[in-house]
Amino acid sequence: MLNEKSKVINYINGLGGYRGYVQFSHRPIDIERDVFIDHNPSVKDEEGFILEAHFFNGSTSLSIRQVNAEWIVDESLNIPLDNLETYHGIDDLKIKMAQIWTLQQDDNCANLEVLKLNKVVFAGVEK
């Protein structure tokens, strides 16, 4: 958990090898400043704050969300790339999301283990 805007910016700027985007609170996403497709993230401090950010490095997905006075960083490791969904973003960008399924015992299935959707995470952006 990060509790200062400057710490969030420094954290993001230190993400070598990650690709993704940031969404600021006070303006729409700017493709040139906020989307990092072919270079490391480089965010400058500005008027608003980072509302959310998503990054991926080929195996690890990072989600940063502003909640009250803090930013929560959710790190998901070893993302399976065999179950990707693609969504259309702004300016014809393609946003890839990965589904993470886990085996869980289910009372409605005679207590057998079944695959259940655990979470959906960011898995990249492309032109």
Side-chain angles (χ1 to χ4, degrees):
M1 207 169 326
L2 302 168
N3 60 3
E4 293 177 22
K5 180 174 144 181
S6 62
K7 288 181 181 179
V8 176
I9 290 171
N10 290 339
Y11 179 82
I12 291 171
N13 289 341
L15 292 175
Y18 281 83
R19 303 296 180 255
Y21 71 94
V22 297
Q23 170 68 64
F24 277 89
S25 62
H26 65 291
R27 61 176 175 77
I29 292 177
D30 179 325
I31 297 292
E32 299 299 318
R33 292 190 294 177
D34 303 328
V35 179
F36 311 100
I37 295 174
D38 51 11
H39 61 282
N40 292 333
S42 178
V43 178
K44 294 187 180 4
D45 193 359
E46 53 184 270
E47 180 182 327
F49 57 89
I50 294 174
L51 184 61
E52 71 174 20
H54 296 275
F55 297 97
F56 186 66
N57 72 355
S59 65
T60 300
S61 179
L62 295 174
S63 171
I64 302 168
R65 293 184 190 274
Q66 194 275 335
V67 178
N68 296 326
E70 299 176 320
W71 287 265
I72 297 172
V73 178
D74 180 38
E75 181 179 55
S76 299
L77 306 172
N78 303 317
I79 302 303
L81 300 178
D82 57 344
N83 203 4
L84 296 178
E85 295 286 330
T86 301
Y87 299 91
H88 296 282
I90 59 173
D91 288 348
D92 293 326
L93 291 178
K94 294 181 182 166
I95 309 299
K96 296 185 281 184
M97 303 296 286
Q99 297 178 356
I100 300 176
W101 296 80
T102 56
L103 279 174
Q104 295 178 4
Q105 194 173 19
D106 190 328
D107 296 340
N108 296 319
C109 293
N111 290 324
L112 296 172
E113 286 190 334
V114 297
L115 283 173
K116 292 192 175 190
L117 183 63
N118 185 329
K119 64 180 166 178
V120 178
V121 298
F122 178 79
V125 60
E126 59 186 40
K127 293 180 183 178

